[in-house]
Amino acid sequence: MAETERRQNRTLPDRDAPIGVFDSGVGGLTVVREIMRQIPNEKIIYFGDTARVPYGNKSRKTVTRFSQQIVRFLRTFQVKTIVVACNTASAYAMEALEQDIDIPIIGVVKPGARAAVSATGNGRIGVIATEATIGSQIYTKYIQELNQNISIYGKACPLFVPLVEEGLWEDPVTDEIARRYLTELIDIDIDTLILGCTHYPLIRSTLGKIMGERVTLVNPAYETARELRELLIRHGLLREEPPALGSNRYQFYISDKADKFVHFANSIIKYGILSAKTVNIEAY
C-alpha cells in the first residue's frame, strides 16, 4: 500500500490518549513545562535519554537511531502525537521519524524559526545551540525558506548544557561563559536570538541581561507548545476535560540516573514529580 493511502486509511488516535515527549536528557522538561501551562488538560509521557546524553556531539546516523528507539518505546503507550523536544534530534531525525510513524509529530526547530522571522526587525537573527544543531544549518534552512532576505548567525555554546544541569543558572561562571559566547553576536548587531537548545531557557535571564532589551529572545519551547495546541485542534485530538485524579497524568521515564533526574525535574516543574522509571531503551 502506498504511503499516502496508508495514512488516509489509518485509525485516528484517541483524543484522550497521552502526548509523547522526548529529549536527549533533561532539557526537554522546559517543553513539558510549557505544554502543562498552555494545554493543561493533556496527559504526558516523557522520556529523557540520560544514559546517552548529549546528542549534540553525535552523528546524524546515531541520533536518528536513538530517536527511533525512543519513538518505538513511546508508541507502547498508544500516544496520540509525539513532540521531539530536542533541537539536535529535530535537526537530524525528523525526516526519518515522519516516515516511520502515522501519528502527528512536531519538533522544536520549525516553531522557533517561524517565531524568529516574525520577531526580527532588521533581518539579523542569531542562533545559539549545540555544535550539532549549528553544524546542521537547520535553522538557516527553515528561516530562509520563510524569508531569503534574513541573515542568520549561528554560535555553538557547548558549555551551557553542563552549567544548566549543574544548577548554575544564575552564577558568575555562567555569566562569564555567556559573555564570551555572545560578544560576537552583539557585535554583529542581531535583534533576535533563538535559544536553540531546550536547556537554554533556564538561563534566559542571564542571556537577556547580556544581550540587552533591544534583542528579542525566542524560546522554541514556548513556541512548540503553542503550535502543538494548534496541531491537536486541527486533528481533532485536543483533550476537552482534565484526566481523572489518580490516572497517571504525567509519567516520566529515563535511561539512567533516576534520582538526579527527579531532583532536576522538580526544580523546573512545580507539580511534585515523585519518581521516574528507568528503561533499557536499547531493547527498543
Side-chain angles (χ1 to χ4, degrees), residues 15-16 40-43 238-244 249:
R15 73 171 58 199
D16 294 330
N41 290 340
E42 299 296 338
K43 295 188 290 187
L238 187 69
R239 190 181 177 96
E240 297 179 347
E241 300 291 337
R249 184 172 187 172

Side-chain angles (χ1 to χ4, degrees), residues 3-277:
E3 177 68 13
T4 300
E5 184 180 353
R6 183 177 68 84
R7 288 178 180 271
Q8 289 174 343
N9 292 342
R10 68 183 172 86
T11 301
L12 288 174
D14 179 359
R15 73 171 58 199
D16 294 330
I19 295 167
V21 184
F22 79 88
D23 181 46
S24 59
V26 299
L29 292 170
T30 60
V31 179
V32 169
R33 179 174 62 181
E34 290 297 338
I35 295 172
M36 290 174 172
R37 287 174 176 171
Q38 298 185 43
I39 327 175
N41 290 340
E42 299 296 338
K43 295 188 290 187
I44 299 171
I45 308 292
Y46 180 85
F47 181 82
D49 199 359
T50 48
R52 303 185 296 195
V53 68
Y55 282 8
N57 59 6
K58 293 179 173 63
S59 69
R60 179 184 297 271
K61 181 178 179 180
T62 296
V63 171
T64 299
R65 178 171 65 84
F66 288 176
S67 299
Q68 289 171 324
Q69 289 174 333
I70 295 167
V71 165
R72 286 193 287 270
F73 167 70
L74 291 174
R75 292 300 300 272
T76 67
F77 295 91
Q78 306 300 313
V79 294
K80 62 184 178 183
T81 187
I82 288 177
V83 180
V84 184
C86 171
N87 281 267
T88 303
S90 294
Y92 279 175
M94 280 295 292
E95 184 176 349
L97 296 179
E98 287 171 343
Q99 294 174 355
D100 287 346
I101 65 174
D102 58 1
I103 59 173
I105 184 168
I106 184 173
V108 290
V109 172
K110 288 185 178 180
R114 280 190 281 267
V117 169
S118 296
T120 187
N122 68 2
R124 303 171 75 83
I125 296 174
V127 182
I128 53 174
T130 65
E131 293 178 1
T133 299
I134 296 299
S136 74
Q137 295 285 300
I138 193 70
Y139 275 103
T140 299
K141 174 186 174 183
Y142 288 138
I143 289 171
Q144 293 194 332
E145 284 178 359
L146 297 169
N147 188 334
Q148 292 184 347
N149 296 319
I150 290 177
S151 299
I152 302 97
Y153 305 92
K155 177 65 179 178
C157 302
L159 292 178
F160 281 166
V161 169
L163 288 170
V164 167
E165 294 198 355
E166 287 300 320
L168 301 175
W169 302 354
E170 296 182 3
D171 187 274
V173 172
T174 304
D175 289 352
E176 176 61 25
I177 295 298
R179 288 186 189 281
R180 293 191 183 193
Y181 281 151
L182 299 178
T183 295
E184 65 186 71
L185 294 178
I186 295 172
D187 293 342
I188 290 168
D189 194 35
I190 63 168
D191 74 345
T192 304
L193 180 65
I194 298 173
L195 311 185
C197 173
T198 49
H199 284 72
Y200 296 178
L202 297 172
I203 55 171
R204 182 187 180 111
S205 61
T206 296
L207 302 176
K209 178 176 61 179
I210 293 170
M211 296 305 299
E213 294 182 358
R214 191 183 61 79
V215 176
T216 299
L217 302 185
V218 173
N219 177 3
Y222 173 87
E223 303 298 337
T224 299
R226 185 179 61 79
E227 291 201 14
L228 174 63
R229 186 177 190 279
E230 295 173 359
L231 181 150
L232 294 175
I233 292 172
R234 189 163 63 249
H235 287 272
L237 293 174
L238 187 69
R239 190 181 177 96
E240 297 179 347
E241 300 291 337
L245 292 176
S247 61
N248 286 328
R249 184 172 187 172
Y250 304 129
Q251 298 180 54
F252 298 88
Y253 297 85
I254 42 81
S255 48
D256 197 18
K257 299 181 180 178
D259 291 343
K260 184 176 181 180
F261 175 87
V262 170
H263 176 76
F264 192 87
N266 280 313
S267 69
I268 300 174
I269 301 171
K270 309 303 181 184
Y271 281 86
I273 297 168
L274 300 178
S275 66
K277 296 180 181 179

